[in-house]
Amino acid sequence: VGDREAADAARAQYVQLQRDLNVLPSGLNELAGVTEADVDRLAERTVESQQRLLRCNPRPVTEDDVREVFLDALHNWEA
């Protein structure tokens, strides 16, 4: 088994454990009610208000980058 396959298998097992234990929310949607309709506003406000932190990133962070992070964080797994 290669590194990628092992990593994928470990992630699948971790997600299954979270589901079995029902201890963690499945993402921003379940945690805070964030929906896809909220993502554009969140990305815009993050870039506006967090420049001090974003400036430290090794590469420039755009609003599109932040939007993708929020979209990926909406659901860690589907119910």
Side-chain angles (χ1 to χ4, degrees), residues 67-79:
R67 184 178 297 107
E68 287 301 314
V69 169
F70 277 117
L71 287 171
D72 287 345
L74 283 179
H75 303 282
N76 293 328
W77 63 83
E78 295 299 323

Side-chain angles (χ1 to χ4, degrees), residues 6-65:
D8 289 343
R11 180 189 183 282
Q13 289 298 313
Y14 180 69
V15 167
Q16 188 59 52
L17 177 64
Q18 290 180 53
R19 285 178 170 166
D20 291 347
L21 296 176
N22 196 28
V23 293
L24 298 173
S26 174
L28 291 176
N29 180 258
E30 189 176 317
L31 177 68
V34 176
T35 68
E36 197 167 331
D38 300 317
V39 168
D40 286 340
R41 182 178 55 83
L42 287 170
E44 179 182 345
R45 293 192 63 188
T46 299
V47 170
E48 288 173 0
S49 67
Q50 299 300 318
Q51 279 303 307
R52 179 180 62 83
L53 298 173
L54 296 175
R55 226 182 1 252
C56 297
N57 201 56
R59 70 175 182 85
V61 178
T62 67
E63 195 171 308
D64 286 338
D65 296 328

